[in-house]
Amino acid sequence: MANPAATPDLRPAAIRPAAKPANPRFSSGPCAKRPGWTLAALEPALLGRSHRAANPKARLAEVINRSKAVLGMPEGWRLGIVPASDTGAVEMALWSLLGPRGVDILAWESFSKDWATDVVKQLKLADARVLDAPYGALPELSKVDPARDVVFVWNGTTSGVRLPNADFISDARDGLAICDATSAAFAMELPWHKLDVVTWSWQKVLGGEAAHGMLALSPRAVARLESHKPAWPMPKIFRMTKDGKINEGIFKGETINTPSMLCVEDALDGLRWAESVGGLKGLVARSEANLAAIARWVATQPGFDFLAQDAATRSCTSICLTITAPWFTALAPDAQATAAKKLASLLEKEGVALDAGAYRDAPPGLRIWGGATVETADIEALIPWLDWALATVEAGG
């Protein structure tokens, strides 16, 4: 009888893929820089200058104008650079606009649940409904009342579930539609006529640096700002009106607090790159190609699946995967979490996928950023490593 110990291990765990991604950065924020980026892109930055001086202020205005152009923002919308990344932008909107009407909050992943907490526990609005769903699904969108304000994310960064459309928002709505689009803007088409507030941050789809948020307001949102005085105290960084009128300077490059001109230069570099790859259509195509590459692979093997239950809701940016291998699903929940962390750590140790673990509150699995700055060739090079890492963890590696 052959000695089992002498039998070579021919399972996939022993067969290492030959090639690695050229860029292993698959973090969902801050995200990969645009292809070819180097520090030289920041050399024109206006450092050591007041952001209120003419040239720096012009750079800030350029970020606003290029962003509006690439996104196809409608005439009459205002766009401003605000503090504290997307979180700051969303909370500026919530604190400034909510109150006159009842509000529906759609919650199906971590950040949308944070906005529900803001509305219910911090602002303590009496007429607030939370329409929620577990990770992998969407709430019952038909329950959204057009007479009420509605707060939602377009793309669930921590769940990999995106809205397939905005049909649930009435064209004849009385309430405002407040949309956190931080991992959707520049990678997905946004139906501006259905929205009234849209927010995002630089560090997502265009791979910019952190701490700066973008806040877009429709004419309807501006009318609410100028007609509604919140019942709660408003911190300075949230104040967008003065004497009952909108502070137009915010939307022309006059920021509420001091921005980083180094980050501003980087944001401009990302926007110029976006224009060079075909604008929004080019950006969307790049991101969708990344999702398609992973979808082709998922369809051929039993070890992984999408966290998004409906193919129409799968995100093309924050691509969240669950582990469906029988050995993994047979584990207790704590053991599953440990195994998933081992998998992500192994990918990082091999230098093939950095920061690819699932979000801390999400089900155990992986989260692969597929935004426009990620090359599809790198996604395709990563895929064999996912199979290898899963088999290696199964084998005790």
Side-chain angles (χ1 to χ4, degrees):
M1 180 181 294
N3 180 2
T7 302
D9 187 353
L10 298 179
R11 290 177 297 179
I15 305 173
R16 294 168 57 85
K20 294 185 178 183
N23 185 353
R25 294 170 178 83
F26 296 102
S27 165
S28 290
C31 302
K33 310 298 286 185
R34 53 104 174 150
W37 184 92
T38 69
L39 284 171
L42 306 182
E43 289 179 0
L46 299 177
L47 305 182
R49 296 290 312 278
S50 168
H51 59 290
R52 297 183 179 90
N55 287 345
K57 182 180 172 182
R59 287 278 219 286
L60 290 160
E62 186 180 353
V63 170
I64 292 171
N65 293 332
R66 285 182 182 270
S67 298
K68 292 172 76 171
V70 172
L71 290 171
M73 194 174 296
E75 195 70 29
W77 277 66
R78 290 167 171 86
L79 177 62
I81 300 168
V82 300
S85 193
D86 179 65
T87 299
V90 172
E91 293 189 330
M92 283 181 74
L94 301 184
W95 260 250
S96 300
L97 296 167
L98 295 185
R101 293 178 175 272
V103 57
D104 293 336
I105 309 104
L106 307 182
W108 70 85
E109 50 86 56
S110 297
F111 292 105
S112 52
K113 291 178 181 178
D114 286 341
W115 311 146
T117 297
D118 277 357
V119 173
V120 175
K121 295 185 177 181
Q122 302 301 322
L123 295 178
K124 299 182 179 178
L125 295 184
D127 189 7
R129 298 190 304 171
V130 179
L131 308 176
D132 59 8
Y135 278 88
L138 286 172
E140 193 171 339
L141 301 177
S142 62
K143 290 184 176 180
V144 172
D145 185 345
R148 301 163 66 83
D149 295 332
V150 60
V151 177
F152 57 97
V153 300
W154 189 268
N155 180 79
T157 307
T158 66
S159 70
V161 175
R162 63 172 160 180
L163 291 169
N165 54 59
D167 292 350
F168 67 97
I169 300 174
S170 172
D171 291 340
R173 64 191 177 280
D174 295 312
L176 297 180
I178 301 174
C179 176
D180 171 0
T182 195
S183 55
F186 298 101
M188 304 174 196
E189 295 276 359
L190 296 173
W192 294 97
H193 68 289
K194 294 277 192 179
L195 309 174
D196 296 295
V197 177
V198 180
T199 69
W200 66 91
S201 59
W202 294 351
Q203 70 263 30
K204 292 295 185 181
V205 177
L206 295 187
E209 293 305 299
H212 301 75
M214 301 297 286
L215 175 63
L217 303 175
S218 74
R220 297 180 74 248
V222 173
R224 170 76 66 85
L225 269 178
E226 294 183 337
S227 64
H228 167 60
K229 185 176 181 180
W232 39 80
M234 292 288 288
K236 176 183 177 181
I237 62 171
F238 284 6
R239 296 175 203 156
M240 291 186 280
T241 60
K242 186 176 182 181
D243 299 327
K245 293 294 183 181
I246 191 169
N247 181 354
E248 295 286 3
I250 294 172
F251 307 96
K252 297 177 181 178
E254 297 172 11
T255 56
I256 295 173
N257 70 333
T258 304
S260 163
M261 297 309 297
L262 197 66
C263 293
V264 167
E265 199 63 37
D266 191 57
L268 286 171
D269 176 75
L271 287 163
R272 295 186 192 105
W273 172 78
E275 294 162 356
S276 76
V277 298
L280 184 60
K281 287 186 177 179
L283 296 169
V284 170
R286 289 176 62 88
S287 193
E288 291 289 353
N290 291 334
L291 171 60
I294 290 183
R296 288 191 296 270
W297 162 70
V298 166
T300 65
Q301 52 73 53
F304 293 91
D305 200 357
F306 288 98
L307 182 56
Q309 298 167 6
D310 180 353
T313 69
R314 291 173 186 165
S315 171
C316 62
T317 55
S318 52
I319 303 171
C320 295
L321 301 172
T322 57
I323 303 170
T324 55
W327 68 267
F328 181 88
T329 58
L331 298 174
D334 287 350
Q336 286 186 1
T338 298
K341 288 179 181 178
K342 285 183 178 178
L343 181 59
S345 296
L346 183 58
L347 294 170
E348 182 153 346
K349 181 180 178 181
E350 293 293 332
V352 295
L354 307 179
D355 311 319
Y359 189 73
R360 60 180 179 268
D361 295 333
L366 296 175
R367 182 171 57 156
I368 309 298
W369 183 255
T373 58
V374 174
E375 299 278 29
T376 302
D378 286 332
I379 293 281
E380 292 170 340
L382 170 64
I383 285 171
W385 288 95
L386 302 181
D387 291 324
W388 172 84
L390 184 64
T392 300
V393 172
E394 179 188 8

